[in-house]
Amino acid sequence: MNGPVTKMDQRFSDPDAVATEWEETRHVLEAAELFWISTVRSDGRPHVSPLVAVWLDGAIHFSTGTDEQKAINLRENPHVILTTGCNDWKEGLDVVVEGDAVRATDEAMLARLAEAWTKKWDGQWQFEVRNGSFYHKEGGMALVFSVKPTKILAFGKGKFSHTRYQF
């Protein structure tokens, strides 16, 4: 993936702030243990839920059960926002990812993703890949979705900055 077009939004930044480098933002996406996903219900109401995800090949990937609200919402509307960061006011970086969630079914890619989940969480999340889905070792199936970002926002704290990455 080529680097995004990066732009600082001075309207929401301290006068002497600088744009956050893409490498720093990408590192936050790679290291984040928890994301919050926002989807839209069929009646237009928002739905927000925490989830674990991995950043791989320029996209965020997550799994969900077929009957979970986010999966139900994604059947009608693929638009999502994923957020991560910290709740500290004086330091850190909050990141917002916008894009469409697309079901991942390619078994070679799913095998890479299952390996990434296992590695990232020291074996706490392990999946078998079958029939274009993840299967938990304890039983149960999960759909896997990939979100290639169309836009990412990074909000630096302490010296406040608002950086936009366009893909």
Side-chain angles (χ1 to χ4, degrees):
M1 177 175 121
N2 294 329
V5 175
T6 303
K7 185 177 180 184
M8 174 85 150
D9 193 331
Q10 293 294 347
R11 297 173 303 167
F12 308 112
S13 302
D14 287 343
D16 57 345
V18 296
T20 303
E21 295 289 331
W22 169 240
E23 291 74 22
E24 181 180 352
T25 300
R26 190 182 71 231
H27 174 72
V28 168
L29 294 169
E30 292 169 347
E33 293 183 2
L34 186 68
F35 289 83
W36 289 85
I37 186 168
S38 300
T39 59
V40 179
R41 298 173 194 263
S42 61
D43 64 3
R45 291 179 301 132
H47 175 260
V48 180
S49 178
L51 54 74
V52 295
V54 295
W55 176 265
L56 182 68
D57 295 345
I60 294 179
H61 309 271
F62 64 91
S63 64
T64 183
T66 58
D67 295 329
E68 290 186 42
Q69 188 65 52
K70 58 187 160 289
I72 294 167
N73 296 347
L74 291 172
R75 288 183 199 132
E76 291 189 35
N77 185 341
H79 304 311
V80 299
I81 293 178
L82 292 122
T83 59
T84 193
C86 66
N87 289 328
D88 191 356
W89 174 253
K90 294 184 180 184
E91 61 184 14
L93 187 68
D94 294 333
V95 180
V96 177
V97 178
E98 295 182 19
D100 287 346
V102 176
R103 175 118 186 260
T105 58
D106 177 77
E107 297 215 356
M109 182 60 172
L110 290 173
R112 290 181 63 221
L113 289 168
E115 182 179 321
W117 252 277
T118 299
K119 182 179 176 184
K120 185 172 181 178
W121 285 279
D122 297 326
Q124 295 177 45
W125 290 86
Q126 293 188 19
F127 299 103
E128 295 176 10
V129 175
R130 295 194 312 266
N131 305 319
S133 299
F134 277 175
Y135 287 82
H136 300 278
K137 296 199 185 274
E138 306 83 39
M141 187 263 287
L143 306 174
V144 179
F145 290 89
S146 300
V147 179
K148 289 198 178 272
T150 54
K151 176 174 69 172
I152 294 179
L153 301 173
F155 298 94
K157 295 182 272 185
K159 185 180 282 191
F160 294 95
S161 64
H162 177 143
T163 304
R164 176 185 176 129
Y165 309 96
Q166 196 72 44
F167 295 83

